[in-house]
Amino acid sequence: MQAHIAAKDDDMWYIITDGPIKIMKANTAIAITDGAPHRIEKPREEWTIEDKRKSNLDNVATDILYRTLDKITFRKIKMCKTIKEIWEKLIQLCEGNEQMKKNKISVAIHKFNNIKMKTGESMDEFDERANSIINGLNALKKVYSNKEIALKVVRGLPKE
């Protein structure tokens, strides 16, 4: 059973990264010369239950993703026709191109370098804000050592 579930997960990831699965069959009308049969698209009337499941994976994955998106993001991807197109659009929206990534890193580094505890801010609030900046940097593959982080946070505390 576990291997069957893993196969479904592999199929799902395949359609996200490579596009919908085409249901194929060996073409017996063409002679096999190199050991591998020539493949053609399988007519729908010949589809097995497994073929139908694989063919529908794009719709299943799209439905799952639609249910997780907020209204603003949904409006940005609703014109995409396949889960692969949706995935690529989401990557573009969330990560951006290389220049956008560099800009995000620059902004996050600037925030990290200039972090100061605000007047009236509790230690918990300051810690949460600092961790948010550090986690953002980590997500952008800009990692600081624990020593650098500790020094930066201590310097950001008020003198009193």
Side-chain angles (χ1 to χ4, degrees), residues 12 15 19 33 45 68 81 90 97 123 137 152 159:
M12 187 74 76
I15 61 142
T33 56
E45 57 272 5
T68 64
K81 296 193 183 334
L90 287 173
N97 60 24
M123 274 304 292
L137 284 162
K152 185 56 70 181
K159 291 183 173 136

Side-chain angles (χ1 to χ4, degrees), residues 65-77:
L65 209 51
Y66 280 175
R67 292 171 190 250
T68 64
L69 298 174
D70 60 74
K71 290 178 183 178
I72 294 167
T73 307
F74 177 76
R75 280 188 221 119
K76 293 176 182 177
I77 58 94

Side-chain angles (χ1 to χ4, degrees), residues 14-15 20-21 23-24 43 52 71 75 94 98 110 137 139 150:
Y14 175 86
I15 61 142
I21 295 173
I23 308 302
M24 307 295 281
K52 290 175 184 175
K71 290 178 183 178
R75 280 188 221 119
C94 296
E98 285 304 312
H110 179 75
L137 284 162

Side-chain angles (χ1 to χ4, degrees), residues 8-147:
K8 288 181 182 181
D9 291 345
D10 289 345
D11 290 342
M12 187 74 76
W13 188 245
Y14 175 86
I15 61 142
I16 291 169
T17 58
D18 295 346
I21 295 173
K22 291 184 179 177
I23 308 302
M24 307 295 281
K25 72 174 188 171
N27 184 359
T28 54
I30 296 178
I32 301 171
T33 56
D34 60 358
H38 180 263
R39 305 201 51 84
I40 59 170
E41 201 158 334
K42 192 181 211 182
R44 282 187 184 263
E45 57 272 5
E46 294 179 19
W47 284 9
T48 64
I49 292 171
E50 182 65 10
D51 292 339
K52 290 175 184 175
R53 184 195 65 77
K54 285 183 177 183
S55 176
N56 194 44
L57 280 177
D58 194 74
N59 295 329
V60 171
T62 300
D63 185 58
I64 291 168
L65 209 51
Y66 280 175
R67 292 171 190 250
T68 64
L69 298 174
D70 60 74
K71 290 178 183 178
I72 294 167
T73 307
F74 177 76
R75 280 188 221 119
K76 293 176 182 177
I77 58 94
K78 71 180 180 182
M79 299 307 288
C80 297
K81 296 193 183 334
T82 66
I83 191 68
K84 181 180 184 207
E85 289 177 26
I86 293 169
W87 188 253
E88 289 170 352
K89 182 72 172 179
L90 287 173
I91 289 171
Q92 180 188 9
L93 290 171
C94 296
E95 294 181 6
N97 60 24
E98 285 304 312
Q99 184 58 46
M100 186 179 281
K101 287 178 190 177
K102 287 178 185 175
N103 291 343
K104 285 181 182 181
I105 290 171
S106 293
V107 168
I109 290 171
H110 179 75
K111 283 182 183 179
F112 179 73
N113 288 335
N114 295 303
I115 192 164
K116 300 275 185 231
M117 190 171 187
K118 297 175 183 176
T119 305
E121 187 174 36
S122 72
M123 274 304 292
D124 285 341
E125 291 167 333
F126 177 65
D127 182 58
E128 187 176 318
R129 194 163 53 86
N131 279 323
S132 176
I133 293 168
I134 293 162
N135 289 338
L137 284 162
N138 287 339
L140 294 167
K141 308 291 190 264
K142 178 66 177 161
V143 180
Y144 288 96
S145 71
N146 287 338
K147 182 179 178 181

